[in-house]
Amino acid sequence: MTQTVLIVDDEPAIRELLEITLSRMGLNTQSAATLSEAQSALRQEQADLCLTDMRLPDGNGISLVELIQRDYPNLPVAMITAHGSVETAITALKAGAFDFITKPIELERLRTLVSSALRLSDYSGTDGEPSSDDAKTAQLIGNTAVINTLRQQIHKLARSQAPVHIHGESGSGKEVVARLIHQHGPRAEAAFIAVNCGAIPAELMESELFGHVKGSFTGAAKDKLGLFQSANGGTLFLDEVADLPLAMQVKLLRAIQEKAVRPVGGNEELAIDVRILSATHKNLADEVAAGRFRNDLYYRIHVIDLQVPSLRERLDDLPALSEAILSRISADSPGGPATLSNCALEAMHNYHFPGNVRELENILERAWALSEGRQIEASDLQFASGPSSSSAASSLSNLAAPALAIEEAFGNLEAYLEDIERQVISAALEQCRWNKTATAKLLGISFRSLRYRLQKLQLDD
């Protein structure tokens, strides 16, 4: 059945241009000049895509985006904005727009956007993880409240082209989340390219991201595609994006803004169609404040923020996670998958897991290698020397035990107590890698209380 696109713009010339272009793509079109006309058209006939201008005589396109998100959640909507209106585009994406296109409209860019948006209908009914034998297929294991919420957020974000910044502790599964956003979206059939920005030497980073032409530098024996080009039509996942050097951040910002890259030694820019997902275990806002991350790039990649919970926040998922990991690592051995004894599972419930799911995998792989039977016992588990949740307080005292010279408090009790508090909180922050949410949980206080104490003790730099 021929698909229909609703065009909402008060300029007749723009509507005509869009109608001609879309009809040549084999699509039906409906047109509306005002917000009220668009609302009436949505009620009368089902559309498969909506293209709306930002400024309308009786309202604005953001209002239409919000209405569609509320009443027609499976209808993708794209915003037409003025050239250079970055703030408007970001506002539209945050409101739920699939994507945006700027005036003057580039027809090739329009065709790409429309084709990508119309593919969303193929994925709108998927509720679980995609089924595939591909080892790259990601899975989100568990049924705790935080994981179910994350799963819902992933499905919603998969229907957009908005840049998403995924924040979470090391080993918590940020790349798994990025892969799921890709797998559930219209780019699922194209490439998912993951790159660890902290693992590439600074002198090779531009060539790795943007490619190079033969002879552009010593050792460039042939042309090389960059990661942006390899991900063309798909998704580029920039892991540990906070580790990018400032000079490289400028070039990344231009590539995202212009949707084009220039290979090292190349004479012209090459158009690219890539969705950007990024992640870091650091606090990007703090990195911006410290001058280590560009403010303009921050707003480009941080349109939507997605928090991945630590394993400590989802300990009830341990049985399901352990079962899945053990099934994988013991799949090739005879006698069926390995299992955990109740004592082993209880021991893991009492462990802090500073390395999150990645640490759980390492612990189980080591335990499986050391165990003598098919059941892993508590004695087979070799936890790291870090604290368990039940012994966090005692370990903090070992990390930063102040010298209790009582006489030093005489006449200056407040300063003395503040000094002890400063040492304890500093140790907790170090242990949690400056993740303030995790630090508050470790200390048994609210996030608001921690923030107040950090300000009072001048630790919130």
Side-chain angles (χ1 to χ4, degrees):
M1 188 174 74
T2 305
Q3 294 174 297
T4 300
V5 179
L6 173 60
I7 301 166
V8 187
D9 199 301
D10 63 334
E11 295 183 48
I14 295 291
R15 292 201 305 271
E16 183 178 3
L17 172 66
L18 294 174
E19 288 168 356
I20 293 172
T21 302
L22 296 176
S23 65
R24 288 176 177 172
M25 295 176 66
L27 301 170
N28 292 331
T29 60
Q30 272 187 299
S31 292
T34 65
L35 186 60
S36 58
E37 287 181 15
Q39 293 172 340
S40 177
L42 287 168
R43 288 192 295 268
Q44 292 173 13
E45 184 176 347
Q46 180 177 349
D48 299 287
L49 170 65
C50 176
L51 297 174
T52 179
D53 193 17
M54 177 60 190
R55 296 186 177 181
L56 299 170
D58 56 344
N60 62 61
I62 299 294
S63 299
L64 183 57
V65 171
E66 292 171 342
L67 180 145
I68 289 173
Q69 277 287 297
R70 184 183 70 245
D71 298 339
Y72 310 91
N74 291 324
L75 173 62
V77 52
M79 180 70 69
I80 302 170
T81 67
H83 180 70
S85 183
V86 176
E87 294 80 7
T88 300
I90 289 176
T91 302
L93 291 171
K94 286 186 174 181
F98 168 80
D99 205 347
F100 68 93
I101 189 168
T102 58
K103 296 178 181 180
I105 295 173
E106 298 178 16
L107 295 185
E108 189 57 39
R109 163 75 180 135
L110 172 67
R111 294 187 192 100
T112 300
L113 183 153
V114 170
S115 298
S116 184
L118 292 175
R119 286 199 300 271
L120 270 177
S121 58
D122 297 333
Y123 300 90
S124 60
T126 306
D127 292 322
E129 266 63 67
S131 59
S132 171
D133 294 329
D134 185 355
K136 293 293 185 181
T137 298
Q139 287 186 310
L140 198 61
I141 299 170
N143 283 297
T144 53
V146 290
I147 285 299
N148 286 331
T149 298
L150 179 61
R151 194 175 279 118
Q152 292 168 4
Q153 291 171 327
I154 287 170
H155 283 282
K156 182 177 180 180
L157 294 176
R159 295 186 56 78
S160 167
Q161 294 301 291
V164 178
H165 180 68
I166 304 167
H167 182 70
E169 296 180 16
S170 294
S172 57
K174 297 187 290 294
E175 184 173 337
V176 170
V177 170
R179 285 188 181 276
L180 284 169
I181 292 173
H182 171 76
Q183 287 170 194
H184 285 289
R187 297 175 179 267
E189 300 303 317
F192 175 91
I193 303 294
V195 53
N196 188 321
C197 297
I200 304 175
E203 61 273 14
L204 299 178
M205 192 164 287
E206 185 174 1
S207 172
E208 286 293 316
L209 288 179
F210 306 138
H212 64 249
V213 299
K214 180 180 178 180
S216 56
F217 55 84
T218 303
K222 59 181 180 180
D223 291 354
K224 177 187 175 180
L225 286 178
L227 295 172
F228 267 89
Q229 294 157 282
S230 298
N232 198 27
T235 302
L236 181 62
F237 174 53
L238 301 172
D239 197 7
E240 299 303 346
V241 69
D243 292 338
L244 279 173
L246 283 169
M248 197 63 229
Q249 292 177 27
V250 177
K251 295 174 181 178
L252 175 61
L253 176 64
R254 176 174 175 78
I256 295 173
Q257 286 178 333
E258 303 300 324
K259 297 183 184 294
V261 297
R262 185 192 298 273
V264 177
N267 295 320
E268 59 183 25
E269 291 190 328
L270 307 175
I272 46 124
D273 170 31
V274 171
R275 184 180 188 184
I276 298 292
L277 303 178
S278 62
T280 181
H281 70 277
K282 298 179 181 178
N283 187 311
L284 269 191
D286 290 346
E287 295 297 299
V288 171
R292 293 187 292 267
F293 201 84
R294 290 181 62 92
N295 189 58
D296 45 8
L297 179 58
Y298 170 81
Y299 284 108
R300 271 292 186 176
I301 68 173
H302 200 274
V303 173
I304 297 173
D305 185 65
L306 186 61
Q307 178 72 33
V308 181
S310 67
L311 185 52
R312 295 183 298 282
E313 298 173 77
R314 45 181 297 222
L315 287 176
D316 286 345
D317 286 332
L318 270 175
L321 281 166
S322 300
E323 181 181 355
I325 294 168
L326 289 173
S327 294
R328 173 174 54 81
I329 63 179
S330 62
D332 295 333
S333 62
T339 60
L340 278 174
S341 71
N342 291 335
C343 290
L345 192 57
E346 183 180 353
M348 288 201 299
H349 266 283
N350 292 326
Y351 182 61
H352 190 57
F353 285 106
N356 293 291
V357 178
R358 185 183 298 133
E359 183 181 12
L360 174 64
E361 291 177 341
N362 292 339
I363 288 171
L364 291 178
E365 286 183 6
R366 184 169 58 242
W368 169 241
L370 296 175
S371 65
E372 296 183 0
R374 303 206 62 78
Q375 186 174 72
I376 294 174
E377 302 293 342
S379 58
D380 297 319
L381 302 173
Q382 297 183 8
F383 296 121
S385 57
S388 67
S389 55
S390 61
S391 61
S394 61
S395 66
L396 277 176
S397 65
N398 292 331
L399 284 169
L404 294 176
I406 302 300
E407 61 272 15
E408 292 180 13
F410 296 161
N412 196 18
L413 179 61
E414 288 299 326
Y416 180 77
L417 293 177
E418 281 189 3
D419 187 53
I420 295 174
E421 187 177 14
R422 185 178 291 106
Q423 291 185 60
V424 172
I425 292 178
S426 296
L429 285 166
E430 288 289 339
Q431 182 174 306
C432 295
R433 301 183 183 182
W434 291 86
N435 182 311
K436 294 174 184 175
T437 302
T439 300
K441 189 163 293 188
L442 180 62
L443 292 171
I445 59 177
S446 68
F447 182 85
R448 181 178 296 179
S449 174
L450 176 64
R451 187 169 56 186
Y452 165 77
R453 292 166 192 266
L454 291 174
Q455 291 173 347
K456 182 187 73 169
L457 301 170
Q458 299 181 334
L459 290 172
D460 195 15
D461 294 328

